[in-house]
């Protein structure tokens, strides 16, 4: 019997519908990064390909006005400025936990089937395979808008109608800070802490220990949940 040849991904062709064929080898493949500022082709369809690419500045341009509207909505409903600031701070704190949970338990889920591999690659695998692809680093606004619906409903379960906008606005502000920070950690050159430390911390997650260090804007939840990466050994000499 002739052994069946293992499937090999062709990086010169659209990737999305190829990666699923890797099966159990997908996780190993996707965590071997290709360091290049030129991103891969996702789809053969030009419209779909366009929708996968997002400039980093689209995130603050689109979502900061929404944040302002949400915060002023709670103000108009009778809350003081200090109350709204406190609610927004709560929202930011909630986002840091959501950021950690999503990154650890969803973005790094192990997949082996065709469609699970395909979905994972679109969601986060592409970022680990091509970590310097600047057009696929921040979340596409259309996808963010869709995800806002369940997050709004979740927050409204433990807030009142007048406090929901401010808490949700804080969470949305946390998201904007996260995506902009994430982009900067990959493409910026910080000279001072804490940004310099955060860049080293995050690149360690990409290139050294990919199952540790899930926090992007802060290592807080890695500390609490025991997923801090081991310290990088000091260079000799």
């Amino acid at each position: 019997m002739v052994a069946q040849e293992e499937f090999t991904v062709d990086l010169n062709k659209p990737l999305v519908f190829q990666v699923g064929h890797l099966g159990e080898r997908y996780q190993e493949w996707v965590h071997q990064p290709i360091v290049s500022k030129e991103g891969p082709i996702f789809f053969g369809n030009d419209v779909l390909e366009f929708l996968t690419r997002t400039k980093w500045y689209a995130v603050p341009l689109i979502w900061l006005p929404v944040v302002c509207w949400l915060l002023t909505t709670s103000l108009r409903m009778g809350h003081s400025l200090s109350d709204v600031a406190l609610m927004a701070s709560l929202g930011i704190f909630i986002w840091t936990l959501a950021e950690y949970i999503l990154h650890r338990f969803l973005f790094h889920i192990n997949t082996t089937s065709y469609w699970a591999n395909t979905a994972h690659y679109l969601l986060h695998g592409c970022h680990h395979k091509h970590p310097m692809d600047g057009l696929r680093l921040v979340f596409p606004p259309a996808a963010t808008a869709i995800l806002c619906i369940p997050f709004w409903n979740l927050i409204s379960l433990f807030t009142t109608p007048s406090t929901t906008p401010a808490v949700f606005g804080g969470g949305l502000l946390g998201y904007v800070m996260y995506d902009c920070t994430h982009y900067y950690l990959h493409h910026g050159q910080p000279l001072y802490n804490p940004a310099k430390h955060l860049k080293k911390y995050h690149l360690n997650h990409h290139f050294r220990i990919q199952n540790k260090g899930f926090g992007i804007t802060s290592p807080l939840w890695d500390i609490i949940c025991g997923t801090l990466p081991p310290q990088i050994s000091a260079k000799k000499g």
Side-chain angles (χ1 to χ4, degrees):
M1 181 180 293
V2 178
Q4 187 175 1
E5 186 177 347
E6 284 191 337
F7 178 79
T8 302
V9 172
D10 186 344
L11 295 173
N12 295 315
K13 295 180 180 179
L15 291 184
V16 169
F17 294 120
Q18 290 191 70
V19 299
H21 293 294
L22 289 168
E24 294 182 355
R25 294 183 295 119
Y26 167 74
Q27 290 295 326
E28 180 183 1
W29 175 85
V30 84
H31 289 106
Q32 295 173 349
I34 297 173
V35 182
S36 172
K37 290 187 178 181
E38 292 185 12
I41 302 169
F42 271 27
F43 296 101
N45 181 283
D46 290 341
V47 175
L48 291 177
E49 184 71 5
F50 172 77
L51 291 174
T52 68
R53 299 171 183 264
T54 306
K55 295 281 190 180
W56 73 268
Y57 51 77
V59 172
L61 281 177
I62 292 171
W63 296 115
L64 285 182
V66 178
V67 170
C68 291
W69 177 78
L70 288 164
L71 299 182
T72 55
T73 296
S74 285
L75 283 171
R76 290 196 304 270
M77 296 178 79
H79 292 282
S80 67
L81 186 60
S82 59
D83 286 344
V84 170
L86 187 61
M87 296 172 207
S89 298
L90 174 62
I92 293 173
F93 179 76
I94 292 170
W95 166 257
T96 65
L97 178 58
E99 170 194 318
Y100 177 85
I101 291 173
L102 288 170
H103 193 185
R104 179 179 178 182
F105 296 106
L106 180 60
F107 294 174
H108 280 268
I109 190 172
N110 286 323
T111 60
T112 56
S113 70
Y114 177 85
W115 287 112
N117 287 348
T118 302
H120 179 269
Y121 182 77
L122 278 169
L123 182 66
H124 191 64
C126 59
H127 177 54
H128 270 267
K129 188 64 180 178
H130 299 270
M132 300 308 292
D133 182 355
L135 293 177
R136 294 194 180 95
L137 208 160
V138 299
F139 217 56
T144 304
I146 293 171
L147 290 175
C148 278
I149 298 171
F151 274 102
W152 174 278
N153 290 333
L154 180 63
I155 288 176
S156 66
L157 291 176
F158 60 87
T159 54
T160 65
S162 65
T163 60
T164 300
V167 176
F168 182 81
L172 190 58
L173 177 59
Y175 157 72
V176 172
M177 295 164 62
Y178 153 80
D179 243 354
C180 291
T181 299
H182 192 194
Y183 185 90
Y184 181 67
L185 296 182
H186 279 267
H187 295 279
Q189 298 297 329
L191 299 177
Y192 308 103
N193 288 327
K196 186 177 180 179
H197 169 75
L198 279 177
K199 181 179 178 75
K200 182 178 179 181
Y201 187 82
H202 185 57
L203 295 185
N204 182 59
H205 168 74
H206 272 280
F207 297 104
R208 184 169 174 262
I209 306 176
Q210 297 176 345
N211 62 349
K212 300 285 185 181
F214 298 105
I216 307 296
T217 53
S218 165
L220 171 65
W221 294 104
D222 284 312
I223 295 171
I224 293 172
C225 298
T227 51
L228 271 177
Q231 290 186 355
I232 298 174
S233 299
K235 294 182 179 180
K236 295 181 179 181

